[in-house]
Amino acid sequence: MNFTKSQNIFERAQKVIPGGVNSPVRAFKGVGGTPPFIKKGQGPFIYDEDGNQYIDFVGSWGPLILGHAHPEVVDAVARVLSDGTSFGAPTEREVVLAEMIIDRVPSAEMVRLVNSGTEATMSAIRLARGVTGRDKIIKFDGCYHGHGDSFLIAAGSGAITFGMPNSPGVTTGTAKDTLVAKFNRIDTVNDIFQQHPDQIACVIVEPINGNVGCIPPEGSFLQELKTLCHINGALLILDEVMTGFRVARGGANELYNADADLLTFGKVIGGGFPIGAYGGKREFMEQVSPVGAIYQAGTLSGNPVAVTAGIETLKRLTPTAYLELERLGKLWEDGTQSAIDKDNLPLTIKRVGSMITLFFTDHDIRNLDDVNHCDFEAFKRYFHNMLDAGVYLAPSQYEAGFISLAHDDYLIQKTLEISAQSFAFLKDHQ
Ligand SMILES: Cc1ncc(COP(=O)(O)O)c(C=O)c1O
């Protein structure tokens, strides 16, 4: 493949934007090489500045569950655009989107729209702290909740890809209030509650740890978490920014019967535009300003363009759509598992619905500790083999892939063939 134009733009970019990118993982540091600069997307494909076509399994890191430039979403957005881009005053569309979220997620009795997943999680822990009058929070090693200071402790995604799960610039005062447990290890949460009685405001968790690859919760992990929270007077916050409206109509909250106190959303609810939301039980949400005293605001919150794209996206996520996403995901998982079994390859595949990760290890994956033992060199080689053959995967072992409704059997089969060729080098290492 020719990357000349992307290389030239990347050189220019690095002079004016840190690392040449506006979000760290895009720089390809975890895998090396030049990131293709994307010119356009259509359905399941993206095209770079050099004209290369890729089957896209990143989908803008999750929002594009309908695929790129879905014609009806684009039309609806175009119509709204001509009526104005922002008012800083309430619009009916915001109410419609809030109603749609609440209808799908009964644990969210009220929601507040914000501009990103990061804002949603920051606002949710402020609310939990305000409600409980406590300072400390528990998060999980490798869970990523955006780049709010309180979350850049043992963080996943880009932070772990670059070996910086704890960012400089986070004050020791903030860091001391974030306590870190291990995903799928309820005993570690219990220990922290024992060590800090009456001090913990909330536990925040990605119900599926998608920011170190796709790791599902085991058994009744989420329910036990909720029980522990309530025994100890803390709130359970499910961070569904990635999983919300992706893994089920009601997200992971529905899939695992979690009934969280507070939930955070993003990605899919904006259909590719900047948005976030937090919601939860009415008794808590009514403590948010202007009804209650816990302050949170935003100039562009509830932006009509983003809200329209979200409404149009959610409308198309019918029960049949989730069955189709599950079917496509299973096709990929089963095809990969057969290839692994056939040659006894040191690979493990994990999937929930349309979220999927191929881990370069033959050990089971329960949490970040296990992912850290993957063969990262093998992942890099696989990643570049896939990219060169026209399949665009997340450029880090610590990330999940996303299937959209624009993908089909042919593209999954084609991806499986390319994938089998791309990890064939592992056989030589046996
Ligand atoms: C689970 C989770 N929470 C929060 C965020 C932050 O969202 P945003 O990047 O929109 O700020 C992300 C982003 O990937 C995420 O995956």
Side-chain angles (χ1 to χ4, degrees), residues 82-389:
S82 59
D83 285 341
T85 52
S86 181
F87 309 109
T91 62
E92 187 181 1
R93 282 191 199 91
E94 296 159 63
V95 185
V96 173
L97 183 58
E99 286 167 348
M100 289 175 90
I101 294 173
I102 288 164
D103 176 54
R104 285 158 179 75
V105 185
S107 303
E109 293 168 353
M110 297 184 96
V111 285
R112 169 61 67 77
L113 301 182
V114 294
N115 298 294
S116 67
T118 297
E119 265 190 59
T121 53
M122 281 170 19
S123 309
I125 59 161
R126 182 182 306 137
L127 177 54
R129 284 171 164 156
V131 163
T132 58
R134 299 172 174 183
D135 289 345
K136 295 194 187 300
I137 66 165
I138 299 180
K139 76 176 283 289
F140 291 87
D141 197 10
C143 277
Y144 178 70
H145 304 291
H147 64 91
D149 284 1
S150 298
F151 304 121
L152 289 180
I153 320 287
S157 191
I160 181 93
T161 299
F162 301 136
M164 296 183 300
N166 306 311
S167 172
V170 174
T171 63
T172 39
T174 300
K176 81 170 182 1
D177 284 333
T178 300
L179 307 166
V180 181
K182 288 195 186 293
F183 192 75
N184 276 331
R185 289 269 316 273
I186 198 74
D187 57 311
T188 64
V189 185
N190 199 18
D191 288 350
I192 296 174
F193 271 121
Q194 301 287 320
Q195 286 154 17
H196 301 274
D198 304 325
Q199 292 173 53
I200 291 158
C202 62
V203 174
I204 184 165
V205 64
E206 284 184 72
I208 299 160
N209 191 181
N211 278 295
V212 291
C214 172
I215 310 183
E218 286 171 1
S220 53
F221 177 63
L222 296 175
Q223 279 104 342
E224 287 171 40
L225 214 47
K226 189 174 163 198
T227 307
L228 263 187
C229 283
H230 288 189
I231 291 172
N232 291 285
L235 306 191
L236 174 64
I237 306 177
L238 277 205
D239 179 358
E240 293 240 47
V241 168
M242 185 183 285
T243 52
F245 314 101
R246 166 153 298 272
V247 294
R249 190 170 179 276
N253 189 59
E254 171 190 294
L255 200 61
Y256 301 108
N257 202 12
D259 190 22
D261 300 305
L262 297 176
L263 304 103
T264 54
F265 307 104
K267 301 196 190 256
V268 168
I269 59 161
F273 285 85
I275 204 166
Y278 66 106
K281 299 284 157 38
R282 185 174 296 276
E283 60 177 303
F284 305 132
M285 291 305 290
E286 283 189 335
Q287 300 197 40
V288 174
S289 179
V291 189
I294 300 166
Y295 197 71
Q296 179 271 310
T299 301
L300 293 175
S301 293
N303 176 267
V305 183
V307 163
T308 300
I311 293 170
E312 295 302 318
T313 300
L314 286 187
K315 259 192 213 166
R316 284 161 183 81
L317 292 172
T318 57
T320 320
Y322 288 104
L323 291 177
E324 176 62 2
L325 289 167
E326 168 63 24
R327 198 185 65 76
L328 291 171
K330 188 162 181 344
L331 198 62
W332 188 344
E333 181 184 3
D334 290 351
T336 307
Q337 193 59 55
S338 313
I340 296 172
D341 294 344
K342 185 164 144 282
D343 291 314
N344 200 19
L345 296 171
L347 297 170
T348 299
I349 190 149
K350 289 271 176 190
R351 176 185 73 88
V352 181
S354 55
M355 281 173 63
I356 195 157
T357 301
L358 182 60
F359 292 101
F360 281 72
T361 174
D362 51 8
H363 292 102
D364 191 22
I365 300 277
R366 293 185 68 207
N367 55 36
L368 175 64
D369 290 346
D370 302 315
V371 186
N372 284 338
H373 288 103
C374 287
D375 182 342
F376 290 86
E377 287 307 313
F379 172 80
K380 275 187 210 172
R381 197 163 158 191
Y382 169 73
F383 170 83
H384 279 293
N385 289 348
M386 294 294 279
L387 191 71
D388 290 345

